[in-house]
């Protein structure tokens, strides 16, 4: 099999991966679970708690399959690049090994350096505009934190419509080239306790 045939075959495999469809279903299921979890927060009703757990387990199953598809696509993308094939736009940019820790543990850094929009380079500023454009309309002002490797962490809180004191925080890490490294949505209860984390990419 020639290199061109390998490239064509890999393109076909990546195109057949149901990543987008799985993500849409998982997002809808997670939104329903989030709504149910928020409306039953603090409840001790076993049936309601069981329903929330059921939604969570179903979402985790779908998310696991979706993450596997993302991983397969990323591996194939890297292989295509290595053999000189054209870059594949599969919706899965390569993720650096330490990207998860940069989002998951913002307080682990001894000093957090927040910057203004004018400190962003043009590529990061363009990503910021996309990020702000997709936030819910009543989001709070975006905070931008400078990271040690030239990347930035963008975050904004969105108050819950139904539960006073509850809110979601949208956190996006963008590298110095303007590429999104990771994007998560954290949901907090009125007491500030993390209820759920949703990986948006």
């Amino acid at each position: 099999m020639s290199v061109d045939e390998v490239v064509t075959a890999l393109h076909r495999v990546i195109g057949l991966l149901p990543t987008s469809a799985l993500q849409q279903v998982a997002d809808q299921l997670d939104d329903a679970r989030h709504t149910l979890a928020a409306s039953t927060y603090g409840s001790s009703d076993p049936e309601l708690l069981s329903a929330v757990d059921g939604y969570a387990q179903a979402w985790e199953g779908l998310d696991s399959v979706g993450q596997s598809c993302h991983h397969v696509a990323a591996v194939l993308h890297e292989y295509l690049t290595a053999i000189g094939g054209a870059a594949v736009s599969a919706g899965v940019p390569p993720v650096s090994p330490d990207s998860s820790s940069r989002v998951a543990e913002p307080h682990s850094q001894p000093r957090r350096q927040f910057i203004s929009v004018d400190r962003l380079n043009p590529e990061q500023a363009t990503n910021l505009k996309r990020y702000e454009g997709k936030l819910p309309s009543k989001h709070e002002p975006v905070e931008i934190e400078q990271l040690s490797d030239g990347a930035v962490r963008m975050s904004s809180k969105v108050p819950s419509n139904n539960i006073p004191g509850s809110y979601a925080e949208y956190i996006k890490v963008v590298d110095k080239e303007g590429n999104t490294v990771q994007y998560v949505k954290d949901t907090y209860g009125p007491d500030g306790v993390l209820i759920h984390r949703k990986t948006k990419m």
Side-chain angles (χ1 to χ4, degrees), residues 138-201:
K138 61 176 190 173
H139 70 86
E140 295 180 1
V142 175
E143 289 186 332
I144 305 170
E145 181 183 354
Q146 182 70 63
L147 303 180
S148 59
D149 58 358
V152 293
R153 180 187 291 110
M154 307 170 184
S155 62
S156 179
K157 296 178 181 178
V158 180
S160 169
N161 288 322
N162 306 313
I163 310 297
S166 180
Y167 64 94
E169 184 173 20
Y170 293 77
I171 307 171
K172 190 177 192 182
V173 174
V174 177
D175 67 20
K176 60 185 178 181
E177 282 79 33
N179 301 310
T180 299
V181 174
Q182 195 169 20
Y183 191 12
V184 301
K185 173 187 173 184
D186 287 344
T187 302
Y188 293 87
D191 55 1
V193 174
L194 178 66
I195 297 174
H196 177 66
R197 164 163 283 180
K198 175 180 179 181
T199 301
K200 300 180 74 65
M201 72 156 287

Side-chain angles (χ1 to χ4, degrees), residues 87-131:
V88 178
S89 178
V92 190
V95 177
S96 60
D98 64 337
S99 63
S100 59
S101 63
R102 291 191 285 177
V103 170
E105 300 295 340
H107 299 292
S108 65
Q109 299 182 21
R111 287 175 154 181
R112 302 184 69 188
Q113 180 184 0
F114 292 95
I115 61 174
S116 59
V117 175
D118 57 11
R119 294 276 304 280
L120 297 175
N121 64 39
E123 292 77 18
Q124 291 172 332
T126 298
N127 197 310
L128 173 64
K129 288 181 181 179
R130 292 199 304 270
Y131 167 73

Side-chain angles (χ1 to χ4, degrees), residues 24-36:
Q24 289 177 2
V25 175
D27 285 348
Q28 292 171 358
L29 187 60
D30 186 52
D31 288 342
R33 189 213 65 81
H34 169 63
T35 300
L36 181 60

